[in-house]
Amino acid sequence: MPSDVEFMRRAIEQAEQAGRAGEVPVGAVLVRDDQVVASGSNRPIGTHDPTAHAEIEALRAGGRALGGYRLTGTTLYVTLEPCAMCAAAIVHARVQRLVFGAWDPRVGAAGSVMNLFTQPALNHRVDAFGGVLMDECAALLKSFFATRRA
């Protein structure tokens, strides 16, 4: 049975792929029953699509793979704490668990700036947990931005 760490390593592979493509290195992997259903990496620059975050890409691919937009019983692994847009999409998709790596103190919506997952008015609760391989995930982002600023 694969662990959260193993699936986060797969998300890191997706983040590295995004970084090689010149995108902010964020990756996501959607899992159901210990099997990877879909994955995604950041693509907003290359696609000219502000919604093409890694989480959205993985949710879209997951919907296609599972034949519906309700992704019940799934866990989404993502290398960076989701923004409000992605957090709302995760709720709407009915993802069961969210596991993320690095915290995002600027726009994080799973506890850093706000916690969308605990809003009582929303009709679904996601079990969100952060900090898995946090240092590795944060290092990807730091390296990417240091290179861009140099």
Side-chain angles (χ1 to χ4, degrees):
M1 175 180 202
S3 68
D4 286 346
V5 168
E6 291 172 70
F7 286 123
M8 186 60 72
R9 289 203 188 285
R10 292 188 188 189
I12 288 171
E13 290 171 7
Q14 291 295 311
E16 290 169 341
Q17 179 180 322
R20 286 190 298 273
E23 302 277 359
V24 175
V26 179
V29 173
L30 185 68
V31 173
R32 181 190 271 171
D33 299 326
D34 293 323
Q35 299 293 317
V36 173
V37 173
S39 59
S41 58
N42 256 11
R43 297 176 352 115
I45 297 167
T47 61
H48 310 290
D49 179 356
T51 69
H53 290 193
E55 301 93 322
I56 302 297
E57 294 293 299
L59 294 175
R60 287 176 178 156
R64 288 189 298 272
L66 297 173
Y69 70 99
R70 297 284 168 97
L71 306 175
T72 57
T74 60
T75 298
L76 183 65
Y77 295 87
V78 62
T79 58
L80 181 64
E81 179 183 6
C83 68
M85 174 186 70
C86 292
I90 292 164
V91 170
H92 287 296
R94 306 297 196 273
V95 170
Q96 182 178 343
R97 290 178 69 225
L98 166 70
V99 179
F100 64 91
W103 294 87
D104 188 342
R106 291 182 51 238
V107 298
S112 288
V113 174
M114 68 181 85
N115 194 337
L116 199 92
F117 300 110
T118 60
Q119 294 302 307
L122 297 178
N123 61 351
H124 177 70
R125 297 288 173 270
V126 176
D127 180 20
F129 179 75
V132 174
L133 298 180
M134 177 176 59
D135 292 338
E136 287 180 46
C137 294
L140 283 172
L141 293 160
K142 287 177 187 171
S143 174
F144 175 82
F145 285 112
T147 301
R148 303 252 321 182
R149 292 181 186 124

